[in-house]
Short mmCIF file of all heavy atoms in Angstrom, two decimals:
data_model
loop_
_atom_site.label_atom_id
_atom_site.label_comp_id
_atom_site.label_asym_id
_atom_site.label_seq_id
_atom_site.Cartn_x
_atom_site.Cartn_y
_atom_site.Cartn_z
N GLU G 341 -17.78 -20.26 25.15
CA GLU G 341 -17.33 -21.18 26.21
C GLU G 341 -15.81 -21.54 25.74
O GLU G 341 -15.16 -22.09 26.78
CB GLU G 341 -18.10 -22.38 26.31
CG GLU G 341 -19.52 -22.01 26.85
CD GLU G 341 -20.40 -23.20 26.98
OE1 GLU G 341 -19.94 -24.37 26.74
OE2 GLU G 341 -21.60 -23.14 27.41
N GLY G 342 -15.50 -21.46 24.62
CA GLY G 342 -14.10 -21.95 24.19
C GLY G 342 -13.08 -20.97 24.45
O GLY G 342 -13.18 -19.69 24.48
N ALA G 343 -11.84 -21.44 24.62
CA ALA G 343 -10.68 -20.46 25.00
C ALA G 343 -10.34 -19.63 23.79
O ALA G 343 -10.05 -18.40 24.04
CB ALA G 343 -9.47 -21.36 25.14
N GLN G 344 -10.64 -20.05 22.55
CA GLN G 344 -10.30 -19.17 21.39
C GLN G 344 -11.29 -17.97 21.46
O GLN G 344 -10.84 -16.82 21.08
CB GLN G 344 -10.24 -19.91 20.07
CG GLN G 344 -9.24 -21.02 20.03
CD GLN G 344 -9.35 -21.70 18.72
OE1 GLN G 344 -9.98 -21.28 17.65
NE2 GLN G 344 -8.70 -22.87 18.80
N GLY G 345 -12.53 -18.16 21.66
CA GLY G 345 -13.52 -17.12 21.71
C GLY G 345 -13.33 -16.26 22.77
O GLY G 345 -13.47 -14.97 22.57
N ARG G 346 -12.98 -16.65 23.99
CA ARG G 346 -12.73 -15.89 25.14
C ARG G 346 -11.50 -14.92 24.97
O ARG G 346 -11.38 -13.90 25.34
CB ARG G 346 -12.68 -16.67 26.39
CG ARG G 346 -13.81 -17.50 26.87
CD ARG G 346 -13.99 -17.91 28.26
NE ARG G 346 -12.85 -18.63 28.62
CZ ARG G 346 -12.63 -19.86 28.54
NH1 ARG G 346 -13.65 -20.53 27.87
NH2 ARG G 346 -11.65 -20.50 28.98
N PHE G 347 -10.44 -15.66 24.26
CA PHE G 347 -9.20 -14.83 23.98
C PHE G 347 -9.49 -13.71 23.09
O PHE G 347 -9.09 -12.61 23.18
CB PHE G 347 -8.27 -15.91 23.36
CG PHE G 347 -7.13 -15.21 22.57
CD1 PHE G 347 -6.15 -14.51 23.16
CD2 PHE G 347 -7.21 -15.19 21.13
CE1 PHE G 347 -5.22 -13.90 22.39
CE2 PHE G 347 -6.29 -14.41 20.43
CZ PHE G 347 -5.18 -13.97 21.07
N LEU G 348 -10.39 -13.99 22.02
CA LEU G 348 -10.69 -12.87 21.04
C LEU G 348 -11.43 -11.68 21.70
O LEU G 348 -11.19 -10.56 21.59
CB LEU G 348 -11.60 -13.42 19.88
CG LEU G 348 -10.79 -14.26 18.96
CD1 LEU G 348 -11.76 -14.96 17.85
CD2 LEU G 348 -9.84 -13.37 18.03
N TRP G 349 -12.39 -12.02 22.64
CA TRP G 349 -13.14 -11.07 23.22
C TRP G 349 -12.10 -10.21 24.28
O TRP G 349 -12.12 -9.07 24.34
CB TRP G 349 -14.21 -11.59 24.17
CG TRP G 349 -14.69 -10.67 25.18
CD1 TRP G 349 -14.41 -10.70 26.58
CD2 TRP G 349 -15.27 -9.36 25.08
NE1 TRP G 349 -14.92 -9.54 27.31
CE2 TRP G 349 -15.42 -8.78 26.36
CE3 TRP G 349 -15.72 -8.57 24.01
CZ2 TRP G 349 -15.95 -7.42 26.55
CZ3 TRP G 349 -16.24 -7.44 24.19
CH2 TRP G 349 -16.39 -6.76 25.45
N ALA G 350 -11.24 -10.98 24.76
CA ALA G 350 -10.31 -10.31 25.72
C ALA G 350 -9.39 -9.43 25.10
O ALA G 350 -9.24 -8.12 25.56
CB ALA G 350 -9.58 -11.39 26.53
N ILE G 351 -8.83 -9.63 23.97
CA ILE G 351 -7.89 -8.83 23.27
C ILE G 351 -8.61 -7.54 22.69
O ILE G 351 -8.15 -6.41 22.65
CB ILE G 351 -7.01 -9.41 22.08
CG1 ILE G 351 -7.81 -9.92 21.08
CG2 ILE G 351 -6.31 -10.55 22.79
CD1 ILE G 351 -6.99 -10.47 19.78
N LEU G 352 -9.93 -7.79 22.25
CA LEU G 352 -10.70 -6.66 21.78
C LEU G 352 -11.11 -5.70 22.98
O LEU G 352 -10.93 -4.49 22.83
CB LEU G 352 -11.92 -7.08 21.13
CG LEU G 352 -11.67 -7.78 19.80
CD1 LEU G 352 -13.00 -8.48 19.21
CD2 LEU G 352 -11.18 -6.86 18.76
N ARG G 353 -11.45 -6.32 24.16
CA ARG G 353 -11.80 -5.54 25.33
C ARG G 353 -10.65 -4.81 25.86
O ARG G 353 -10.66 -3.57 26.05
CB ARG G 353 -12.26 -6.51 26.53
CG ARG G 353 -12.43 -5.75 27.82
CD ARG G 353 -12.40 -6.74 28.95
NE ARG G 353 -11.13 -7.39 29.02
CZ ARG G 353 -10.77 -8.58 29.34
NH1 ARG G 353 -11.71 -9.39 29.65
NH2 ARG G 353 -9.53 -9.14 29.43
N ASP G 354 -9.48 -5.31 25.71
CA ASP G 354 -8.15 -4.69 26.15
C ASP G 354 -7.86 -3.60 25.41
O ASP G 354 -7.54 -2.56 25.76
CB ASP G 354 -7.00 -5.66 26.15
CG ASP G 354 -7.17 -6.85 27.15
OD1 ASP G 354 -7.85 -6.70 28.09
OD2 ASP G 354 -6.47 -7.83 26.88
N SER G 355 -8.16 -3.62 24.05
CA SER G 355 -7.93 -2.51 23.13
C SER G 355 -8.90 -1.34 23.30
O SER G 355 -8.33 -0.23 23.30
CB SER G 355 -7.96 -3.04 21.67
OG SER G 355 -9.28 -3.27 21.15
N PHE G 356 -10.12 -1.76 23.54
CA PHE G 356 -11.04 -0.65 23.78
C PHE G 356 -10.68 0.18 25.16
O PHE G 356 -10.64 1.37 25.28
CB PHE G 356 -12.42 -1.16 24.11
CG PHE G 356 -13.04 -1.79 22.90
CD1 PHE G 356 -13.95 -2.95 23.10
CD2 PHE G 356 -12.69 -1.66 21.61
CE1 PHE G 356 -14.42 -3.61 21.81
CE2 PHE G 356 -13.20 -2.26 20.44
CZ PHE G 356 -13.97 -3.31 20.62
N HIS G 357 -10.29 -0.73 26.14
CA HIS G 357 -10.00 -0.15 27.47
C HIS G 357 -8.65 0.65 27.40
O HIS G 357 -8.81 1.85 27.92
CB HIS G 357 -9.79 -1.47 28.37
CG HIS G 357 -9.55 -1.05 29.85
ND1 HIS G 357 -9.21 -1.99 30.78
CD2 HIS G 357 -9.77 0.12 30.50
CE1 HIS G 357 -9.11 -1.27 31.97
NE2 HIS G 357 -9.52 -0.15 31.82
N TYR G 358 -7.80 0.29 26.74
CA TYR G 358 -6.55 0.99 26.74
C TYR G 358 -6.65 2.29 25.94
O TYR G 358 -6.24 3.42 26.34
CB TYR G 358 -5.35 0.22 26.09
CG TYR G 358 -3.97 0.83 26.37
CD1 TYR G 358 -3.20 0.45 27.51
CD2 TYR G 358 -3.40 1.70 25.36
CE1 TYR G 358 -1.98 1.15 27.71
CE2 TYR G 358 -2.27 2.22 25.57
CZ TYR G 358 -1.50 1.99 26.78
OH TYR G 358 -0.30 2.53 26.91
N ALA G 359 -7.28 2.19 24.74
CA ALA G 359 -7.45 3.36 23.92
C ALA G 359 -8.33 4.42 24.59
O ALA G 359 -8.12 5.74 24.48
CB ALA G 359 -8.13 3.02 22.61
N ALA G 360 -9.40 4.01 25.42
CA ALA G 360 -10.22 5.03 26.00
C ALA G 360 -9.48 5.68 27.05
O ALA G 360 -9.50 6.93 27.37
CB ALA G 360 -11.45 4.31 26.58
N VAL G 361 -8.64 4.96 27.97
CA VAL G 361 -8.07 5.54 29.14
C VAL G 361 -6.98 6.50 28.68
O VAL G 361 -6.81 7.57 29.37
CB VAL G 361 -7.36 4.43 29.99
CG1 VAL G 361 -6.43 4.96 30.94
CG2 VAL G 361 -8.44 3.46 30.67
#
Side-chain angles (χ1 to χ4, degrees):
E341 295 183 2
Q344 294 177 23
R346 295 200 306 276
F347 161 78
L348 284 170
W349 161 251
I351 63 171
L352 291 172
R353 175 202 64 215
D354 296 341
S355 71
F356 301 150
H357 189 188
Y358 193 85
V361 166

